[in-house]
Amino acid sequence: MLFTRLIVLLLVGLVASGCDRQKADAPQAPAADAANAAAADTAAADAASGKGVDRSHKGEAAPATLFKTPDGADTSIARLGGKPLLVNLWASWCAPCVKELPTLEALEAARKGKLAVIAVSQDMGPQSSVDAFLASKKLGRFAAYHDPDMALTSALGVQVMPTSILYDAAGKEVWRYTGDMDWMGAEAAALLADVG
C-alpha cells in the first residue's frame, strides 16, 4: 500500500513538473516562415537519424572485400574501377532501399559511360532469391550484385541501409550518403557533380 502511494505521488510530481507557464500567444507565422520551419524540422529529423552526406572518409581506398556479380563470380569495388562508381548497399527487407532502387536504375541509364552504378544486396539468402525479388519489382541487373555475408557493410563500417558510396575513377571514396534519395533529383545531381 505504501509502495502504491509512493508511485502515485511520483507520477503526480512528474506530471506537474512537465507543465510550465506558457509564453504569451505569439501571432501566427506567415506561410513562408511555416514552410521554413517545416524544412528545418525535416533537416533536424534527417540529422538525428543519420541521414545525409558524410565526407569524413574522403580519400580512403575502396576495400578489397569480395562480393558476387549478378553471374555469381567474385568481384570487388577495385575490380570495377576505372571510372567513377556509385555503390549502393541495400536489402529486400529495407523499405527505403526498395523505394530508391528505381531511381538508381534511372541514374545508371542516364549516366551510362560516365558513372557506373551498382547496388549490392546485403540479403543473406541465395542469389536466386535476390534475382526473384528484383524480377518481381521489374528492376535490372545493376542491383543483382550480392554480398550474403554482409562483408561490405562490415568493411565499410556501414550501420544503416541504404547507404550509397561514391568512388572516383582511382577507387578513392568521395562521399557516402546514408538514407534513401531520389537519385534523379537536384540533391543527387549536386552531389554527383563532385565527379563530373
Side-chain angles (χ1 to χ4, degrees), residues 6 8 21 48 58 69 73 80 84 88-89 93 112 117 146 154 166 170 190:
L6 182 59
V8 169
R21 292 184 70 183
K58 184 174 183 163
T69 68
L80 299 171
N88 174 267
L89 302 176
W93 46 263
K112 200 160 212 78
V117 179
H146 191 207
S154 294
L166 180 66

Side-chain angles (χ1 to χ4, degrees), residues 12 19 30 37 47 55 62 65 76 79 100 105 115 135 152 157 167 189 191:
V12 168
C19 300
R55 297 179 190 274
T65 307
S76 67
R79 290 182 189 172
E100 79 174 348
E105 186 170 42
L115 174 70
L152 275 176
Y167 291 95
L191 286 171

Side-chain angles (χ1 to χ4, degrees), residues 171-189:
K172 304 289 185 191
E173 185 169 327
V174 178
W175 49 253
R176 58 183 64 190
Y177 190 91
T178 302
D180 63 306
M181 178 185 291
D182 174 359
W183 289 99
M184 295 302 291
E187 182 181 6

Side-chain angles (χ1 to χ4, degrees), residues 25-39:
D25 288 341
Q28 186 173 355
D33 289 348
N36 289 340

Side-chain angles (χ1 to χ4, degrees), residues 4-86:
T4 304
R5 284 185 184 178
L6 182 59
I7 296 292
V8 169
L9 284 174
L10 283 173
L11 288 173
V12 168
L14 285 173
V15 169
S17 69
C19 300
D20 68 2
R21 292 184 70 183
Q22 298 295 314
K23 295 179 183 172
D25 288 341
Q28 186 173 355
D33 289 348
N36 289 340
D41 288 346
T42 300
D46 286 350
S49 71
K51 183 175 180 174
V53 69
D54 172 6
R55 297 179 190 274
S56 67
H57 301 276
K58 184 174 183 163
E60 291 181 11
T65 307
L66 295 176
F67 53 95
K68 301 291 185 186
T69 68
D71 297 321
D74 285 338
T75 195
S76 67
I77 295 169
R79 290 182 189 172
L80 299 171
K83 62 180 163 187
L85 172 68
L86 183 65

